[in-house]
Amino acid sequence: MALFNRKNTTAPTTTATLAVDPALAALTGDYVIDPAHSSIGFTVRHAMVTNVRGSFGEHEGTLKLDGANPSNSAASIDVTIASIDTGIADRDGHLVSGDFFDAEAFPLMSFRSTGAEQLGGDTYRVTGDLTIKDVTRPLSIDLEFNGSATDVYGNERVGFEGGTDILRSDWGLTWNAALETGGVMVSDKVKLNFDISAIKAAPQA
């Protein structure tokens, strides 16, 4: 089920317009990302032979969904750098230090969307600006719409998952160490992963 509009398949008339599924149109609105049921993580090659996976335990954000016109949809996410977790405390400490994120000086990683489009079916592309260590660069994220549901507490939810690849050096994350056998300790390429559950906000009076 596509989140946004679907074309009317009936014969066109002089007054034909795009038909919008009422169930999809009902998803239009403002949403708050539920951090307890969402994850923002990453995967990076270590020592040229294996992958290290991590996530950020603290993040918050909002979504604006338009069920009739995806270009009107928007996303805003702020991630607390100090909440990074790779499963090893010493490694996490190195990542938040000045060698990498410098979390004391730059506590947040932020994304602000500038556009959205449907690629086909339930797949969408969100474009925007990613800011790390006061460096802002454009970023595109491909997401799959996983559907909508009302949970046991009466919250209307939507879900998305997807990801994108970045070069960390583009945001000033350049620390590395050479290996005796050739290559480097940490790859420049990093895969970002998003698994998002968001709750529809009550309409304002």
Side-chain angles (χ1 to χ4, degrees), residues 117-163:
E117 61 178 318
Q118 184 177 5
L119 299 181
D122 291 331
T123 303
Y124 298 85
R125 177 167 293 160
V126 179
T127 57
D129 295 320
L130 177 67
T131 300
I132 305 174
K133 297 180 70 173
D134 275 359
V135 177
T136 300
R137 295 182 61 88
L139 182 72
S140 294
I141 306 169
D142 289 352
L143 297 168
E144 182 177 355
F145 174 54
N146 287 338
S148 62
T150 301
D151 65 24
V152 296
Y153 302 105
N155 298 312
E156 297 181 61
R157 291 179 177 268
V158 293
F160 296 87
E161 65 178 317

Side-chain angles (χ1 to χ4, degrees), residues 42-53 91 100 168 176 179 184-191:
F42 59 90
T43 304
V44 62
R45 182 76 72 179
H46 177 262
M48 310 295 291
V49 298
T50 191
N51 289 318
V52 168
R53 293 175 173 83
R91 180 166 59 204
F100 284 95
R168 60 188 179 91
N176 227 320
L179 302 175
V184 292
M185 181 69 74
V186 184
S187 69
D188 191 21
K189 181 180 176 181
V190 179
K191 181 175 180 59

Side-chain angles (χ1 to χ4, degrees), residues 63-97:
L63 304 177
K64 177 185 176 182
L65 303 183
D66 189 323
N69 187 349
S71 65
N72 289 334
S73 297
S76 174
I77 300 174
D78 291 316
V79 176
T80 301
I81 294 297
S83 70
I84 197 169
D85 182 5
T86 64
I88 298 178
D90 287 346
R91 180 166 59 204
D92 296 342
H94 191 198
L95 289 171
V96 300
S97 75

